[in-house]
Amino acid sequence: SLFSKVERFPEREAHIVWLEPEGLDSDWVYPNGISSAFPPDVQLRLVRSMVGLEGATILKPAYDVEYDYVDPTCLRRTLEVSTVEGLFLAGQIIGTTGYEEAAALGLVAGANAALSCSRGPPLTVGRHQGYIGVLVDDLVTRGTTEPYRMFTSRAEWRLMLRADNADARLTPLGAACGLVGERRLERLREKQAAMQRGLRALRGFALPNAEWAAAGFGVKPNGELRTAEQMLHVPRAELCDVEAAMAAAPHGWRKACPEGASLLPLPSLGREAMEIEVKYSNYLERQAREVARLEEHAMASIPRHTDYAALPCLSKEEVEKLTATQPATLSEAGAIPGITPKALFYIYNHLRQAGGSSRREEGGAAEEEVPEPLRHHFPGASDASDASGAEPVAEGL
């Protein structure tokens, strides 16, 4: 609500309100950003205080709905009440709002209710595996004091959480719990095989930059050889254009790729996922390493009286909670409500730099390998890119 935003961010001098037309044939406009339960006359004064809305009228005043809910921090990650075996909760009763949130939580709770009866392994989704994992983790570790919505900005690893790789991320989890049949598993295998075939083609074809430039790609026209895979890293290079250039230059096939032109046309199955994973492989590998580092160094010690305010990437709220709690390890820091995995990664980087324990400092130019469990996100991943300097993630209101 507008009231809670003013209360939480009193230092801000402005607030954005989005005017959203209700339809092409309607003059109704929804002012997104001023949800409230103020008296109608106050709401009218508020609306008319905005430039351009001085003569507006309110057709439907805003309102609040008050209801009781169960504090979600009493739940396990399976959404089972920790003190009541066999009782699983989902949706509005644990503080969320929205159809999608209720559906996602209902899936997790329903699956785990059935699995608990059959003594099967529980269904849990990690924050780096799906937005469902972010949703559940936020609720059970941090709770909520207002109706919770699943904004994409809440996910620290959202480069991994894409529509094109949802099957690769979640199908194996569903299969392990008996929620996915053999037919869907086989379809995933077919897609992954098609992606590998496409990657073989992209890696097995190379031309001098001069020929790539002549084909319209933004590279310097010199004699440096560049593979089709590397061309996808060039700004504004599209897979369809790279494929057309490959078809027009059969002499570009390398001896290491005996299949050659038989690999064309590139498979349509998994095509979008392959293009994305090749184009953004450096960023995807970086996030994979961030996740693996947090898991590997969960018990890393944090010196007492660490000056968290000196870490510019931490929010004011995170600094206050960490300073007050003084966690002894990264694991303890992660258990503090409101401390995100991204914040833990910044703390880890601070500890590494302060202690001189990084692999680069110890071993010179050693490269870090992409962890095997995360390779399914990008089967074409190489093992060389710098994982430092990750961008801060803005939290949604």
Side-chain angles (χ1 to χ4, degrees):
S1 69
L2 178 62
F3 179 82
S4 64
K5 290 177 182 177
V6 172
E7 189 177 48
R8 289 167 58 190
F9 307 102
E11 74 283 358
R12 297 190 181 179
E13 299 179 354
H15 174 68
I16 295 177
V17 177
W18 301 95
L19 301 181
E20 302 175 354
E22 290 288 281
L24 293 175
D25 301 319
S26 172
D27 57 0
W28 287 29
V29 175
Y30 175 67
N32 189 349
I34 55 173
S35 299
S36 67
F38 299 127
D41 62 311
V42 175
Q43 292 188 38
L44 184 60
R45 287 167 52 199
L46 174 65
V47 168
R48 290 181 174 177
S49 71
M50 289 182 273
V51 176
L53 300 183
E54 296 86 351
T57 58
I58 294 180
L59 299 170
K60 289 185 177 181
Y63 61 91
D64 275 354
V65 176
E66 185 176 351
Y67 58 89
D68 294 328
Y69 73 106
V70 175
D71 182 354
T73 59
C74 75
L75 303 176
R76 298 189 174 97
R77 294 182 187 276
T78 59
L79 299 184
E80 182 181 28
V81 178
S82 58
T83 56
V84 185
E85 184 179 355
L87 178 60
F88 295 80
L89 302 179
Q92 194 175 45
I93 194 172
I94 56 174
T96 66
T97 182
Y99 297 112
E100 297 84 0
E101 288 81 358
L105 293 170
L107 173 64
V108 174
N112 281 313
L115 290 166
S116 70
C117 294
S118 62
R119 305 298 179 187
L123 171 63
T124 56
V125 182
R127 294 183 73 95
H128 64 283
Q129 293 176 307
Y131 284 108
I132 290 178
V134 177
L135 170 63
V136 172
D137 185 69
D138 277 355
L139 290 171
V140 303
T141 62
R142 305 170 194 178
T144 184
T145 57
E146 58 185 52
Y148 180 101
R149 292 306 307 264
M150 182 60 250
F151 300 113
T152 56
S153 59
R154 297 187 190 273
E156 299 79 16
W157 322 117
R158 55 186 176 274
L159 286 181
M160 293 180 175
L161 310 183
R162 311 185 310 275
D164 66 271
N165 71 347
D167 51 358
R169 290 184 284 109
L170 300 174
T171 301
L173 293 179
C177 298
L179 299 176
V180 173
E182 184 59 32
R183 183 176 179 182
R184 283 186 58 189
L185 264 180
E186 182 58 32
R187 183 64 171 170
L188 174 61
R189 296 188 192 105
E190 291 173 359
K191 175 183 174 181
Q192 292 174 330
M195 291 175 65
Q196 289 298 333
R197 174 185 170 92
L199 286 169
R200 283 202 310 276
L202 294 175
R203 291 168 179 167
F205 184 94
L207 291 173
N209 276 350
E211 292 191 45
W212 287 118
F217 294 92
V219 294
K220 293 182 179 179
N222 54 36
E224 179 186 349
L225 277 179
R226 198 181 294 238
T227 68
E229 180 184 24
Q230 291 171 328
M231 283 306 303
L232 281 177
H233 292 277
V234 174
R236 292 180 291 279
E238 301 294 336
L239 181 58
C240 58
D241 298 326
V242 171
E243 185 178 14
M246 294 167 68
H251 58 280
W253 291 103
R254 308 164 86 174
K255 292 181 180 180
C257 185
E259 302 113 313
S262 67
L263 293 173
L264 295 179
L266 297 176
S268 58
L269 183 61
R271 184 185 180 94
E272 179 188 14
M274 180 186 68
E275 181 174 10
I276 290 172
E277 289 174 354
V278 170
K279 277 188 173 183
Y280 305 107
S281 59
N282 289 341
Y283 302 99
L284 293 169
E285 291 165 28
R286 176 187 296 178
Q287 289 210 340
R289 276 190 290 272
E290 290 177 7
V291 174
R293 283 176 177 175
L294 288 182
E295 293 176 349
E296 181 182 354
H297 297 282
M299 300 311 296
S301 297
I302 302 176
R304 287 185 59 81
H305 308 301
T306 293
D307 184 10
Y308 295 103
L311 278 65
C313 293
L314 297 180
S315 69
K316 181 179 179 181
E317 178 188 6
E318 289 167 339
V319 170
E320 291 175 352
K321 290 184 176 182
L322 289 163
T323 303
T325 307
Q326 288 295 315
T329 65
L330 282 178
S331 179
E332 289 184 13
I336 301 172
I339 302 301
T340 65
K342 202 68 173 179
L344 296 180
F345 183 71
Y346 293 138
I347 297 170
Y348 164 76
N349 267 349
H350 173 74
L351 297 176
R352 186 182 65 166
Q353 293 165 7
S357 60
S358 72
R359 289 183 60 181
R360 288 189 182 274
E361 292 168 351
E362 292 179 354
E367 296 173 351
E368 295 184 74
E369 184 176 348
V370 179
E372 187 64 32
L374 296 171
R375 286 185 179 272
H376 68 270
H377 290 295
F378 33 96
S382 62
D383 295 329
S385 71
D386 182 15
S388 63
E391 295 292 331
V393 177
E395 291 289 346
L397 292 176

